[in-house]
Amino acid sequence: MKNDIHPDYHTINVVMSDGSTFQTRSTWGAEGDTMTLEIDPKVHPAWTGGNRIAVEGGQVARFKKRFGSFSLKK
């Protein structure tokens, strides 16, 4: 490894949105800094598998609306 090109890897404190805390090592901030998460894996639907809001009128819906009447019949 080359010297003096890598970021400092140190211990930080992480505070989850429910108030729980843990320590981890990171290149974020400085030694002993606290990272407060507004969205975390314990509550966010992307990680918990909760309901997802589907966007109506997306690209597929617009395509079907525009070309839905066409068919490939001979």
Side-chain angles (χ1 to χ4, degrees):
M1 274 191 339
K2 293 182 180 179
N3 293 331
D4 302 325
I5 64 166
H6 300 285
D8 181 35
Y9 191 62
H10 48 271
T11 304
I12 64 167
N13 300 311
V14 178
V15 179
M16 305 288 263
S17 61
D18 65 355
S20 61
T21 62
F22 66 93
Q23 281 191 336
T24 188
R25 294 181 51 85
S26 175
T27 58
W28 179 86
E31 179 77 32
D33 280 355
T34 301
M35 176 187 287
T36 305
L37 300 179
E38 295 175 6
I39 299 173
D40 63 57
K42 289 183 179 180
V43 296
H44 196 275
W47 289 284
T48 60
N51 293 336
R52 296 183 184 172
I53 299 172
V55 177
E56 293 184 24
Q59 289 184 355
V60 174
R62 287 194 310 245
F63 179 84
K64 287 181 179 179
K65 181 180 177 184
R66 189 171 178 188
F67 299 108
S69 62
F70 293 108
S71 65
L72 298 175
K73 296 179 184 177
K74 292 183 179 182

